[in-house]
Amino acid sequence: VTSVSDAEAHNFGRAEHYDHATRYDRAAEYLDVVRQLWDTWEENAIAPDKAAGTYGDPAKVHYADHAGKWFDVKGPLSLPRPPQGHPVLIQAGASGSFQDLATRNAEVVFAVYPDIDRAKAGYRGFKDDVAAAGRSPNAVKILPGMVPIIADSDDAAADLLGELDALVEPLAGLSFMSGSMNYDLADHATRIRVSDDGML
């Protein structure tokens, strides 16, 4: 996730976050860098030899020597590669830039759709894009983001959903929305009215 919050940018020496296009340009190079780093250790590079006093085979550990627009990384990684070679790449997002990056790189995509019809269309479209990028559509799994409401009937489920919605504290909801939009809704506090049923 390339994020959107200026509050997160503050933790990395920036006053504000990069714009959308820049974030994804940087993310694409970042993926290239981490893949290079994971590959700085070949399989079976660790070969402890007590008698020789060695831990690994230097011929199987390499520099990354990446010099790009966003990152300059010599390497090698300070840890050996995991048994599966590379960790699973999971991405989340919905924009066209996200789709482009995910179709070329992701192994799992976390996606949120407002209804089942749009979820089906999004699934088919994304799988088509993966194939167009030269990968097998089965190379990427889609993990739908949803909150199942389970009850004995549709009416009972609707009632339960109403109960759950009523538990959301308005200020907590506004705080979450502020973070998601990178916009401080507190600036408009005098314009927000909470009804008797707790809804905004």
Side-chain angles (χ1 to χ4, degrees):
V1 176
T2 62
S3 189
V4 68
S5 172
D6 288 343
E8 293 173 39
H10 297 167
N11 288 330
F12 295 91
R14 295 188 53 80
E16 60 185 25
H17 209 348
Y18 295 110
D19 64 80
H20 185 268
T22 302
R23 290 199 311 270
Y24 278 94
D25 180 52
R26 190 171 185 266
E29 185 179 334
Y30 175 83
L31 285 173
D32 290 341
V33 172
V34 295
R35 282 197 171 109
Q36 290 174 48
L37 286 171
W38 291 330
D39 288 337
T40 55
W41 290 70
E42 293 181 21
E43 192 173 348
N44 301 320
I46 297 177
D49 185 335
K50 265 189 174 183
T54 59
Y55 175 69
D57 182 350
K60 293 185 177 182
V61 182
H62 314 281
Y63 291 114
D65 282 329
H66 175 90
K69 177 179 178 181
W70 296 103
F71 302 99
D72 289 305
V73 180
K74 185 171 182 64
L77 196 63
S78 58
L79 298 169
R81 64 190 289 145
Q84 74 273 30
H86 291 184
V88 177
L89 287 175
I90 304 174
Q91 290 181 242
S95 69
S97 299
F98 158 77
Q99 294 272 1
D100 181 56
L101 192 64
T103 55
R104 292 182 285 111
N105 294 283
E107 294 168 288
V108 178
V109 169
F110 180 73
V112 178
Y113 298 102
D115 58 61
I116 190 67
D117 291 332
R118 287 179 65 179
K120 288 178 179 178
Y123 178 93
R124 286 190 301 270
F126 184 78
K127 292 287 189 168
D128 289 345
D129 290 344
V130 170
R135 301 172 68 198
S136 166
N138 294 327
V140 188
K141 305 301 181 193
I142 298 179
L143 183 65
M146 62 180 181
V147 179
I149 306 297
I150 301 169
D152 292 330
S153 68
D154 288 348
D155 288 342
D159 290 342
L160 183 55
L161 177 60
E163 290 179 38
L164 292 172
D165 286 345
L167 293 174
V168 177
E169 288 289 336
L171 289 179
L174 288 171
S175 177
F176 178 80
M177 289 172 59
S178 289
S180 298
M181 298 186 304
N182 196 34
Y183 183 83
D184 189 359
L185 292 171
D187 292 343
H188 306 281
T190 57
R191 302 180 192 176
I192 297 170
R193 183 178 66 84
V194 179
S195 66
D196 293 337
D197 62 2
M199 301 302 286
L200 296 176

